[in-house]
Amino acid sequence: MNKSHVSNFAINNPRTNHSASAFQRGFTLLEMIVVLVIIGLIAGLVGPNLFRQADKAKIQTAETQVKMIRGSIHTLRLDIGRLPTQEEGLKILMQKPSDERVAQFWNGPYIDGGVPLDPWKREYVYSATASEFEPFSLYSMGADGQQGGDGDNKDIGYLPANK
């Protein structure tokens, strides 16, 4: 077979002879609706699981940050011989105290980059009030920013013993 014979065969063959409009054919409205319904079903099934995982990650981040800050407070305590006062709060981890008797032993900053905000972009709560396991309280108020709560809104950290 020579090339001209193959070309003539392809041109004259009804199976391969397509008009230009057949190649420009798009999706029908029904096909597009079916695809959108499928995408909606997948998003409805997967979406809530993704959000639940994001909430879990925030809680785990808060727990980890509380432990890190707790360690910094204990290191500060070893250096200056006492815990931060209520007035000093967590700022003493970054700034030398004004009392010269304490400032001479301060060897900070005790946290690289500063005291972090909790995963909900709020400051951690520090109190000189003892918690169940520590001689101070240190916690995040959870997703709702209110004391107490359940689930994602639960306070995270070392809560005051009387809470």
Side-chain angles (χ1 to χ4, degrees):
M1 281 185 142
N2 63 26
K3 283 187 176 185
S4 64
H5 181 58
V6 172
S7 298
N8 288 337
F9 177 75
I11 292 172
N12 295 325
N13 187 346
R15 290 184 188 167
T16 60
N17 191 9
H18 299 287
S19 65
S21 64
F23 288 112
Q24 295 174 355
R25 184 174 162 259
F27 294 107
T28 65
L29 182 59
L30 181 62
E31 289 170 331
M32 289 182 9
I33 290 173
V34 168
V35 169
L36 289 174
V37 167
I38 291 170
I39 290 171
L41 288 173
I42 291 171
L45 295 172
V46 174
N49 289 332
L50 288 176
F51 289 121
R52 242 179 276 137
Q53 292 302 321
D55 292 339
K56 277 185 186 178
K58 285 183 177 185
I59 291 168
Q60 289 174 340
T61 299
E63 291 170 346
T64 302
Q65 287 178 332
V66 164
K67 289 176 184 175
M68 178 196 66
I69 296 168
R70 173 186 159 260
S72 298
I73 291 170
H74 283 294
T75 303
L76 170 80
R77 181 182 187 185
L78 290 172
D79 287 349
I80 67 172
R82 66 171 176 79
L83 291 167
T85 64
Q86 189 74 37
E87 295 79 32
E88 291 169 332
L90 297 176
K91 288 183 218 135
I92 195 171
L93 297 172
M94 297 304 301
Q95 299 172 351
K96 188 179 273 194
S98 56
D99 182 356
E100 271 305 311
R101 293 174 294 169
V102 176
Q104 67 181 341
F105 299 108
W106 189 85
N107 196 21
Y110 292 89
I111 297 179
D112 291 336
V115 178
L117 297 176
D118 74 6
W120 300 276
K121 307 293 183 226
R122 290 187 292 274
E123 292 183 0
Y124 284 95
V125 178
Y126 172 82
S127 172
T129 306
S131 67
E132 185 177 350
F133 302 105
E134 294 292 339
F136 56 86
S137 299
L138 175 65
Y139 58 96
S140 165
M141 289 192 276
D144 65 353
Q146 306 292 318
Q147 289 190 342
D150 294 320
D152 296 341
N153 297 328
K154 184 178 176 183
D155 296 344
I156 302 164
Y158 303 99
L159 305 172
N162 58 1
K163 257 188 122 176

